[in-house]
Amino acid sequence: MLLDTKKLKKISVLYVEDDESVREQTLGLFDRIFKKVFVACDGEEGLEQFKNNGSQIDIIVTDINMPNKNGLEMVREINKIVSNIPIIVTTAHTDSEHLLNAIDLNVDKYISKPVQIRDLTVTIVELVAKYKRLDNIESLAKTLVQKSNDDNVVNEELKEKVDFLEKTVEHYKEIMDSLVFTLETDKHGVITAASKKFLTFFDYSKSELFGKNLSELKCSSCNGINFQQLMLKSLHEKKTIVSEHTFKTNNAQSVVFDVAMTPVYGDDSFVAGYKFYMDLISTQ
């Protein structure tokens, strides 16, 4: 992608990094190419920068592991203030728990260190442009809704925009369904859903798996009681629990997974079920 300096000079960045040498080196480059760079050395300072300058900030680039308040904790607080700002997380660690927490917080990009500045800059430009397009669509949709009662043509335009957004959401769901191992259960551990990736890899059909208890899975390092204990721990601590398990697929292949279990709450604030995100470690 050829970088447009005019576009770069219209972008303001909140950059949060606790490593002084990395921060100063990156800041030296950012100051030259972007309109404005707000810098912070930890999540607490980054949150204050956003509270004071949020209306000027187009995108956030933050490390995860930092003193006082880590990057994901900062993002969680910023999400309470505004929900439509692109966020890029940089980290030297790629563990499943950080990745899952980033997904839960709707982080747009997860980049491993050492970061290539050009690639990061390209990602910044692409995400800012994407969010501006979505903002324009949202603004247009709101305008069209206001006029739709008086103008049939506007109704058609609104329908096209809504169809576009629905197709985009469905497209991302299909991508996740085909690339990520996921499993869902009700609060009793009865399987209610699984991704296409899970079903294909484990060689199960929906009819073979849905409606069955987790204990039906051929797991050589876990059982129904063990999963029940993990469910109770996840519920009690109100957080994602990650544990390693060895399974056998339906065609008897032995596989090792990191399993992340997260409680799902209903409108009544009581647990309604659990989601399982599974990261393949090895096949045996």
Side-chain angles (χ1 to χ4, degrees):
M1 175 181 179
L2 184 63
L3 293 173
D4 187 335
T5 55
K6 291 182 179 179
K7 289 183 179 179
L8 293 173
K9 283 298 180 182
K10 293 180 180 180
I11 296 174
S12 294
V13 180
L14 171 58
Y15 176 55
V16 190
E17 171 60 60
D18 68 316
D19 187 310
E20 184 176 358
S21 61
V22 173
R23 185 174 65 248
E24 294 302 321
Q25 181 181 8
T26 305
L27 184 60
L29 294 169
F30 276 7
D31 274 336
R32 292 199 299 269
I33 61 179
F34 292 118
K35 176 183 177 181
K36 176 76 175 177
V37 182
F38 300 92
V39 64
C41 61
D42 58 46
E44 194 69 47
E45 188 176 331
L47 179 59
E48 286 304 311
Q49 283 278 33
F50 189 85
K51 287 180 177 178
N52 295 330
N53 305 288
S55 61
Q56 303 177 57
I57 295 170
D58 298 301
I59 191 167
I60 298 169
V61 179
T62 180
D63 189 17
I64 290 184
N65 292 317
M66 297 183 292
N68 298 324
K69 189 186 293 290
N70 71 38
L72 295 182
E73 290 171 340
M74 179 194 72
V75 169
R76 184 174 288 107
E77 293 298 317
I78 290 176
N79 280 343
K80 296 176 182 178
I81 302 171
V82 62
S83 60
N84 61 339
I85 186 165
I87 298 169
I88 299 173
V89 164
T90 65
T91 180
H93 305 279
T94 57
D95 58 274
S96 297
E97 186 170 2
H98 276 155
L99 178 58
L100 288 167
N101 287 334
I103 291 172
D104 288 341
L105 291 171
N106 295 320
V107 169
D108 295 275
K109 193 75 173 180
Y110 191 97
I111 298 178
S112 298
K113 290 182 176 181
V115 175
Q116 300 298 315
I117 296 298
R118 176 178 172 78
D119 293 341
L120 176 58
T121 303
V122 169
T123 302
I124 290 172
V125 172
E126 290 176 344
L127 285 176
V128 169
K130 171 188 171 183
Y131 270 70
K132 286 184 176 179
R133 286 196 302 270
L134 292 175
D135 284 344
N136 290 338
I137 290 173
E138 183 179 356
S139 297
L140 176 59
K142 289 179 179 178
T143 300
L144 293 174
V145 167
Q146 292 173 355
K147 296 179 178 179
S148 62
N149 290 332
D150 303 319
D151 193 337
N152 289 332
V153 174
V154 171
N155 278 331
E156 289 300 317
E157 292 177 353
L158 176 60
K159 184 178 182 303
E160 289 178 6
K161 297 300 180 182
V162 171
D163 288 345
F164 170 76
L165 291 174
E166 288 179 347
K167 289 178 181 177
T168 301
V169 171
E170 195 60 35
H171 175 65
Y172 283 120
K173 284 183 178 179
E174 289 178 2
I175 292 175
M176 291 293 291
D177 191 50
S178 61
L179 295 180
V180 181
F181 294 97
T182 61
L183 195 67
E184 297 179 26
T185 71
D186 65 13
K187 62 183 179 181
H188 303 296
V190 175
I191 299 170
T192 58
S195 67
K196 184 185 298 182
K197 178 77 170 180
F198 181 97
L199 293 171
T200 301
F201 184 86
F202 277 85
D203 195 29
Y204 281 106
S205 66
K206 291 181 179 180
S207 60
E208 289 177 302
L209 198 62
F210 293 5
K212 304 292 179 62
N213 193 277
L214 277 171
S215 59
E216 294 290 323
L217 289 177
K218 301 170 183 176
C219 179
S220 58
S221 66
C222 54
N223 53 50
I225 296 175
N226 192 12
F227 269 123
Q228 290 291 343
Q229 290 172 342
L230 291 174
M231 287 177 177
L232 290 174
K233 182 179 180 182
S234 176
L235 180 59
H236 177 71
E237 298 182 7
K238 295 183 179 180
K239 69 177 186 179
T240 297
I241 301 295
V242 180
S243 53
E244 182 179 310
H245 297 285
T246 301
F247 296 90
K248 283 193 179 296
T249 65
N250 208 16
N251 57 15
Q253 182 184 19
S254 185
V255 290
V256 182
F257 277 88
D258 266 340
V259 180
M261 178 192 303
T262 302
V264 178
Y265 295 90
D267 295 334
D268 57 4
S269 297
F270 290 104
V271 67
Y274 296 86
K275 282 189 176 181
F276 298 80
Y277 298 89
M278 303 171 65
D279 185 16
L280 180 63
I281 298 175
S282 65
T283 57
Q284 299 175 353

